[in-house]
Amino acid sequence: MGDPELKKELEELDAQIERMRRDSAQMREEIGQSWDAPTDMAERATLLTNVEQQEALIDDLQVRREQILRRMGSA
């Protein structure tokens, strides 16, 4: 994979990471705002698990981003 392809993949990853970070922040805010709402504890736990899974995926994408940057630096 050449530099143009790596650069395109990097741009796509950056956009995806940014979008997912915004989504995670919004989900956490919504969970916080509804903390006293009459919500089932199991439902709340599921929502938190979903946010944590999304944040783990963001971490994986960050690792991929760093790998691409290293490849671009050594090319």
Side-chain angles (χ1 to χ4, degrees):
M1 198 180 279
D3 261 9
E5 292 91 3
L6 289 174
K7 185 175 181 186
K8 183 176 185 236
E9 185 175 351
L10 185 62
E11 289 170 356
E12 291 170 359
L13 274 173
D14 284 341
Q16 187 175 9
I17 289 168
E18 181 58 32
R19 190 171 44 254
M20 292 178 75
R21 282 185 177 152
R22 279 193 314 268
D23 291 348
S24 289
Q26 182 180 357
M27 285 190 288
R28 283 196 177 275
E29 184 177 328
E30 289 171 6
I31 291 168
Q33 289 173 352
S34 67
W35 199 251
D36 339 350
T39 306
D40 184 296
M41 287 301 285
E43 183 181 346
R44 220 174 289 158
T46 299
L47 293 172
L48 286 170
T49 299
N50 290 344
V51 172
E52 290 169 353
Q53 288 174 342
Q54 183 155 338
E55 290 171 346
L57 181 56
I58 292 169
D59 290 343
D60 291 344
L61 293 174
Q62 277 295 136
V63 168
R64 176 68 183 137
R65 183 182 186 282
E66 295 300 320
Q67 291 171 341
I68 291 171
L69 287 172
R70 280 195 298 277
R71 285 180 63 189
M72 287 176 72
S74 66

